[in-house]
C-alpha cells in the first residue's frame, strides 16, 4: 500500500535496478499507517513525519548535502487515526507552511516566513475560525500562476463542505477564494473530491462522490466540475454552475446509487494525449461483482465503459474509519497513439489495463512489476505495510520517502505497540 504514485513510479521496474542507495532520516511511529509529507523548494528538501514518540517533526536539508538535516519538533502528537496526514509546501516567497494531525479537528497549521524549520510558528487560523473547527483532508497545491493554495474539508463524513484558500505573499496572509465553500454539503452529506487537477490548457478539474454518513457504503453519484480560476465552476458542457456547488447543481457523470460499490478516494483523474479528461472508478455490476469503469467526455456526452470482467469478486464496502483498499486506482495516462493505460492494484497484484483511447474499449490486461512496487519490496520487510510519498524537482529528480508500518486499523488503537521503524529517503 502506498500514499502516492507519480507516473515515474507506475512504469515497469528495470531489470537491473540493483541495490537502492538511501539514507536514514529518523526513527518513526509504526503503529499504524498515516501519510507523511515531502516537498522541494529551491535548494531545500523538506519532510514531515511523526517520530518514534508520535510527535510531529519537520526536517530540512540542502538537496545535495545528505548529512545536513535540521530537525524541529512541533506541539502536536498523533493518536491512532490514519486520516491525520502531514502536508507541507513553500510559497514563492520561500515561506514554509505545514498542516497536519486533523480529522474533524480544529486547524493545526504552522508557518515559517524564512523557510527555516526551527522558525515554524503555530497559527490559530488561516482565514475564518468559524469554518476551521472541524478540519480534515488538508492539501497544498501550486496554482498555474505559481501561487500556493490550500484545500480542506470543514465538517465530518456525511456533513461537511470544502474550501480553497490562496496565500497572498504581499500581506503574508491566506485569503478565501470565494468566502464560501466550493462544494457545500448542506449539512446533509459531503463531497470527497480528487483535485483540483490542472490540465495543459489551464483548466482545473474536480471529480467527486457524495457520501451521506460516516459509513463508506453511503458513497454515491460520481460527479464533475471544472474551473479556470477556482472561483467560477462549469460543467463539462461549459455551463456555469451556481456557487457553491450543491448536490442539486453538480454534474453527475455516473449515478451510482448508495451501496453501489463506489468509494471515496478511488475516483481518479487523468488525461489522454488530446488533454481530454478520463476518470477511473469502480462499482458493482448487475451480478454484484466489483468492476473497474472509465468515463470520458466525447462529442457532448459522458462515455462510460466497464473495462474488467471479474467473476465472483466483490469488494464489500462497509463501515467507517480508514479502510484498507482491496483495489487502488492510479492516474490513467496515454503512453502512445494506440493505448490508454489504467494502472491499478488489486490485492497484492499490480495491473495495467490497456484500452483504446478513442472508443475506451478494453484491449488487454497485464500484470506488472512497477518501479514503486520494487522500491517497497527492497526497502520494507515482507510482512510490513510499505509506504511511499514522493517529490520531484524541476529537472525531474524524484526523491522518495519510504517506510514500513502497520496497516490501517479503522482508526482504532492497536493491542500492542510495535518498535519504531526507519524513515528512509532515496532518489530515483
Amino acid at each position: 500500500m502506498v500514499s502516492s504514485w507519480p507516473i515515474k513510479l507506475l512504469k515497469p521496474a528495470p531489470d537491473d535496478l540493483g541495490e537502492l542507495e538511501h539514507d536514514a532520516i529518523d526513527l518513526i511511529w509504526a503503529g499504524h499507517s498515516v501519510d507523511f509529507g515531502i516537498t522541494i523548494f529551491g535548494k531545500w528538501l523538506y519532510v514531515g513525519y511523526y517520530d518514534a514518540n508520535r510527535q510531529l517533526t519537520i526536517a530540512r536539508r540542502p538537496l545535495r548535502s545528505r548529512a545536513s538535516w535540521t530537525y524541529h519538533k512541533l506541539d502536536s502528537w498523533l493518536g491512532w487515526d490514519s486520516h491525520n496526514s502531514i502536508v507541507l509546501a513553500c510559497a514563492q516567497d520561500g515561506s514554509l507552511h505545514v498542516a497536519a494531525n486533523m480529522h474533524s479537528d480544529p486547524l493545526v497549521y504552522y508557518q515559517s516566513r524564512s523557510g527555516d524549520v526551527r522558525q515554524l510558528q503555530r497559527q490559530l487560523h488561516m482565514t475564518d475560525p468559524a469554518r476551521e473547527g472541524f478540519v480534515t483532508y488538508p492539501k497544498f497545491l501550486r496554482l498555474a500562476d505559481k501561487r500556493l493554495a490550500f484545500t480542506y474539508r470543514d465538517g465530518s463524513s456525511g456533513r461537511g463542505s470544502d474550501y480553497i484558500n490562496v496565500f497572498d505573499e504581499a500581506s503574508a496572509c491566506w485569503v478565501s477564494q470565494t468566502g464560501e465553500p466550493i462544494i457545500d454539503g448542506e449539512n446533509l452529506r459531503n463531497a470527497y473530491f480528487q483535485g483540483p487537477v490542472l490540465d495543459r490548457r489551464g483548466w482545473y478539474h474536480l471529480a467527486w462522490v457524495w457520501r451521506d454518513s460516516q459509513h463508506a457504503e453511503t458513497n454515491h453519484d460520481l460527479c464533475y466540475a471544472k474551473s479556470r480560476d477556482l472561483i467560477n465552476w462549469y460543467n463539462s458542457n461549459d455551463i456555469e454552475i451556481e456557487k457553491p456547488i450543491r448536490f442539486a447543481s453538480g454534474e453527475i457523470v455516473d449515478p451510482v446509487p448508495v451501496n453501489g460499490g463506489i468509494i471515496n478516494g478511488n475516483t481518479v483523474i487523468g488525461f489522454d494525449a488530446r488533454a481530454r479528461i478520463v476518470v477511473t472508478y469502480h462499482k458493482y455490476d448487475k451480478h454484484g461483482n466489483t468492476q473497474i469503469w472509465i468515463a470520458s467526455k466525447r462529442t457532448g456526452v459522458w462515455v462510460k465503459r466497464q473495462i474488467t470482467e471479474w467473476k465472483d469478486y466483490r469488494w464489500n464496502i462497509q463501515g467507517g474509519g480508514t479502510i484498507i483498499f482491496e483495489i487502488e486506482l492510479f492516474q490513467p495516462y496515454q503512453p502512445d497513439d494506440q493505448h490508454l493505460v489504467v494502472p491499478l492494484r488489486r490485492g497484492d497484484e499490480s495491473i495495467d489495463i490497456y484500452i483504446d483511447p478513442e472508443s475506451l474499449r478494453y484491449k488487454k490486461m497485464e500484470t506488472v512489476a512497477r518501479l514503486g512496487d520494487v522500491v517497497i519490496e527492497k526497502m520494507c520487510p515482507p510482512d510490513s505495510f510499505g509506504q511511499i510519498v514522493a517529490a520531484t524537482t524541476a529537472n525531474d529528480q524524484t526523491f522518495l520517502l519510504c517506510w514500513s508500518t502497520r496497516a490501517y486499523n479503522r482508526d482504532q488503537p492497536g493491542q500492542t505497540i510495535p518498535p519504531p521503524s526507519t524513515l528512509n529517503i532515496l532518489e530515483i
Side-chain angles (χ1 to χ4, degrees), residues 143-428:
L143 303 182
D145 60 7
K146 307 302 182 184
R147 291 181 301 162
L148 187 64
F150 180 74
T151 69
Y152 66 99
R153 184 188 75 194
D154 187 61
S156 59
S157 294
R159 189 178 179 182
S161 297
D162 298 279
Y163 295 86
I164 297 182
N165 299 333
V166 175
F167 187 65
D168 178 63
E169 295 182 8
S171 63
C173 294
W174 289 91
V175 179
S176 172
Q177 277 290 85
T178 62
E180 60 187 356
I182 54 169
I183 304 181
D184 181 6
E186 304 174 273
N187 286 324
L188 298 172
R189 59 188 67 87
N190 78 282
Y192 285 89
F193 65 75
Q194 188 207 8
V197 180
L198 180 65
D199 71 16
R200 68 175 189 243
R201 295 174 178 172
W203 284 98
Y204 296 95
H205 302 263
L206 291 180
W208 72 91
V209 291
W210 293 102
R211 184 158 153 179
D212 293 343
S213 77
Q214 64 177 339
H215 299 290
E217 63 269 29
T218 65
N219 281 294
H220 59 92
D221 290 296
L222 176 65
C223 298
Y224 170 79
K226 64 180 181 179
S227 175
R228 286 197 178 275
D229 56 12
L230 302 179
I231 299 172
N232 302 296
W233 292 89
Y234 300 83
N235 67 20
S236 61
N237 293 319
D238 297 324
I239 298 173
E240 188 168 3
I241 303 171
E242 181 182 355
K243 299 191 292 285
I245 301 170
R246 296 188 170 100
F247 180 72
S249 59
E251 179 181 13
I252 297 177
V253 176
D254 192 338
V256 182
V258 169
N259 290 302
I262 200 168
I263 193 171
N264 53 283
N266 250 2
T267 56
V268 183
I269 294 173
F271 303 96
D272 67 13
R274 295 170 57 182
R276 294 176 296 190
I277 185 172
V278 291
V279 182
T280 55
Y281 58 105
H282 51 75
K283 63 178 182 177
Y284 301 141
D285 65 15
K286 62 182 180 181
H287 304 292
N289 293 316
T290 298
Q291 307 291 354
I292 307 301
W293 286 68
I294 188 166
S296 186
K297 194 66 180 289
R298 306 295 170 87
T299 61
V301 297
W302 284 99
V303 176
K304 302 180 285 288
R305 304 282 191 213
Q306 180 181 321
I307 59 172
T308 56
E309 289 288 348
W310 291 328
K311 305 297 183 184
D312 302 319
Y313 170 64
R314 179 185 176 96
W315 175 13
N316 195 26
I317 299 168
Q318 287 186 327
T322 306
I323 297 172
I324 297 177
F325 278 20
E326 293 185 17
I327 298 169
E328 189 173 13
L329 297 175
F330 307 117
Q331 182 181 5
Y333 65 96
Q334 187 171 345
D336 56 49
D337 292 339
Q338 302 301 316
H339 302 97
L340 185 64
V341 178
V342 177
L344 63 100
R345 178 182 290 109
R346 178 183 164 189
D348 293 329
E349 186 177 50
S350 286
I351 298 168
D352 280 347
I353 300 176
Y354 291 80
I355 64 174
D356 182 272
E358 293 304 318
S359 68
L360 302 180
R361 296 191 183 279
Y362 171 89
K363 298 184 77 172
K364 63 178 180 178
M365 181 184 297
E366 293 181 349
T367 301
V368 295
R370 306 193 196 286
L371 180 56
D373 296 328
V374 174
V375 169
I376 286 181
E377 182 180 350
K378 287 178 174 288
M379 298 297 298
C380 298
D383 59 346
S384 71
F385 193 76
Q387 288 196 249
I388 293 176
V389 292
T392 303
T393 66
N395 59 358
D396 204 33
Q397 299 165 286
T398 298
F399 290 85
L400 305 180
L401 287 183
C402 186
W403 69 101
S404 60
T405 178
R406 287 182 178 169
Y408 305 128
N409 191 38
R410 298 272 182 159
D411 307 327
Q412 298 302 306
Q415 293 183 344
T416 60
I417 302 294
S421 66
T422 300
L423 180 62
N424 291 298
I425 191 161
L426 59 158
E427 183 178 353
I428 298 294

Side-chain angles (χ1 to χ4, degrees), residues 35-37 48-50 56-58 84-88 98-101:
D35 289 350
F36 295 165
Y49 57 94
Y50 296 108
L56 176 59
T57 304
I58 310 299
N84 292 30
S85 60
I86 302 168
V87 292
L88 65 168
V98 177
N101 206 15

